[in-house]
Amino acid sequence: MKIYLIGYMGCGKSTLGRKLANKLNIPFVDMDHYIEERNYKTVPQIFAEDGEEAFRLKEQKALHELSEFTNVVIATGGGAPCFFDNMELMNKSGKTIYLNIDPKILAYRLMHSKTERPLIKGKSKEELISFIDETLKKRNEFYSQAQYEVTEPDLPVEEILEIIQ
Ligand code: S3P
């Protein structure tokens, strides 16, 4: 069983991923942390020092490595499905679940999050809302290729497992 959780920043991929992995008794991998460990740099450092393009290449490499794992729940970075053939690779190598959460909830969570996210750093509430709207329009083309979709922010893991099993 390999599960990829995909969706916008703040949609709850890591929180749900941990719960799912716990329930299934298999490891959980947060892709951003995986990239940070392999590069000895944080994601914000990679963006600042090497640029977004370099980050996307590292992300693609990480995904290829992780796609070889069996029995794992992977929380992908919000942009991961939208570059290269990443979405196709995920769909071929595991089950993909899109956490399609209301943009208003995303904006609220991102405003209150302590995680540093280079793409939205320093944005006001209004700027953040229009940034989410704009990028979601483009990203939905990729997110919607997921095999399963969850729209309820706090759907119990048991129900999610029922949907995908
Ligand atoms: C990004 C999302 C982040 C991280 C990077 C870029 C994006 O991951 O990979 O900051 O392009 O949406 P989270 O979705 O875990 O915040």
Side-chain angles (χ1 to χ4, degrees):
M1 168 78 96
K2 178 152 65 223
I3 300 174
Y4 295 98
L5 297 174
I6 69 163
Y8 206 79
M9 295 176 266
C11 72
K13 294 162 294 203
S14 302
T15 308
L16 175 64
R18 268 190 206 96
K19 286 188 198 161
L20 276 172
N22 220 352
K23 189 85 190 166
L24 292 166
N25 210 9
I26 59 176
F28 166 72
V29 177
D30 181 301
M31 229 174 91
D32 282 341
H33 291 165
Y34 183 89
I35 295 168
E36 289 180 334
E37 276 169 21
R38 263 145 200 79
N39 290 278
Y40 304 101
K41 277 184 188 184
T42 64
V43 169
Q45 269 173 337
I46 299 172
F47 267 78
E49 292 168 19
D50 311 317
E52 178 172 351
E53 217 171 297
F55 173 77
R56 296 302 172 195
L57 287 168
K58 292 179 191 306
E59 191 173 53
Q60 182 194 30
K61 185 164 182 274
L63 195 59
H64 275 266
E65 288 170 16
L66 291 170
S67 71
E68 307 271 316
F69 290 21
T70 44
N71 287 329
V72 63
V73 178
I74 301 162
T76 63
C82 315
F83 292 85
F84 312 107
D85 60 348
N86 294 352
M87 195 62 220
E88 199 185 330
L89 175 66
M90 289 191 269
N91 271 330
K92 274 193 192 145
S93 56
K95 293 181 192 273
T96 49
I97 310 178
Y98 172 28
L99 306 188
N100 184 1
I101 304 305
D102 187 333
K104 286 191 215 81
I105 300 179
L106 296 177
Y108 179 84
R109 285 188 185 164
L110 291 171
M111 288 292 294
H112 296 89
S113 165
K114 288 194 183 74
T115 308
E116 198 190 325
R117 292 179 164 98
L119 292 180
I120 55 170
K121 201 177 165 199
K123 291 204 189 306
S124 68
K125 190 177 166 200
E126 289 68 32
E127 285 168 341
L128 182 61
I129 290 170
S130 46
F131 180 80
I132 294 175
D133 277 348
E134 265 168 45
T135 41
L136 257 182
K137 265 187 216 135
K138 292 185 202 138
R139 288 184 172 192
N140 267 330
E141 179 195 334
F142 299 94
Y143 292 158
S144 62
Q145 293 171 34
Q147 297 152 14
Y148 306 94
E149 192 170 309
V150 170
T151 51
E152 210 181 297
D154 294 310
L155 198 65
V157 281
E158 291 77 10
E159 285 188 39
I160 294 178
L161 290 175
E162 251 173 54
I163 297 170
I164 65 169
Q165 269 168 351

